[in-house]
Amino acid sequence: MVINTGTCSFSDMKVWPGRGSRFISKDGKIQLFIGSKVRSLFHQRIKAVKLTWTQDWRRLNKKGRAETVKKRRVRKVVRTQKAYVGATLDDIKRKREEKPEVRAAMRDQALREIKERQKKKATPQGQKFDKGQPKTAGPKVSKAKGKQKNK
């Protein structure tokens, strides 16, 4: 035999057959109350969430639940390599596979080439122009061009 139990619409407690009372409001909603205390509080418009003995309050304040600890999902970090300006992905992989001694030798060679280029570009400090060519002067601009005499 199946026993049909209802739940109290205010306190969410089980209402067994032969217990409680029903209240049907004007809009046709049926309210089932476990006892007179609950019915009285409902008609006084007191919120069930404010009362510590109701299931609504317990649900809101997380009381009485079995602690179900969920492990947070840890996303595996997927490492990807991307090409950047001036180097393709193949170049980056090739350099990574090289031995450190080879890389150091290539770096030293590149530094020597840069220093040689800088030496060629730089001229001695005291000499700004070639000795053979005279210094050329640009067009003369008078400073008092914008000024006018007041009479």
Side-chain angles (χ1 to χ4, degrees), residues 63-116:
K63 305 289 180 186
R65 283 189 181 172
E67 292 293 323
T68 55
V69 178
K70 283 189 176 180
K71 288 186 178 180
R72 289 187 177 181
R73 289 185 182 178
V74 179
R75 291 185 180 180
K76 285 189 177 181
V77 177
V78 179
R79 297 183 82 189
T80 58
Q81 292 180 337
K82 294 182 180 178
Y84 51 87
V85 178
T88 62
L89 192 59
D90 295 331
D91 293 339
I92 295 168
K93 285 181 180 177
R94 205 176 314 116
K95 282 187 179 181
R96 184 172 288 154
E97 290 171 3
E98 288 178 355
K99 291 183 178 178
E101 299 88 28
V102 176
R103 253 191 282 165
M106 289 178 73
R107 184 175 55 238
D108 292 340
Q109 184 182 357
L111 286 171
R112 270 190 248 117
E113 287 176 7
I114 291 169
K115 286 181 182 177
E116 287 174 11

Side-chain angles (χ1 to χ4, degrees), residues 16 20 24 26 29 36 42 46-47 49 54 58 63 65 71-72 77 99 116 126 131 140-142 151:
W16 294 90
I24 302 169
K26 287 181 182 179
K29 289 183 182 175
S36 60
F42 175 80
I46 293 174
K47 293 179 183 176
V49 177
T54 60
R58 293 181 70 79
K63 305 289 180 186
R65 283 189 181 172
K71 288 186 178 180
R72 289 187 177 181
V77 177
K99 291 183 178 178
E116 287 174 11
K131 289 182 180 178
K140 292 187 178 180
V141 179
S142 64
K151 289 184 182 178

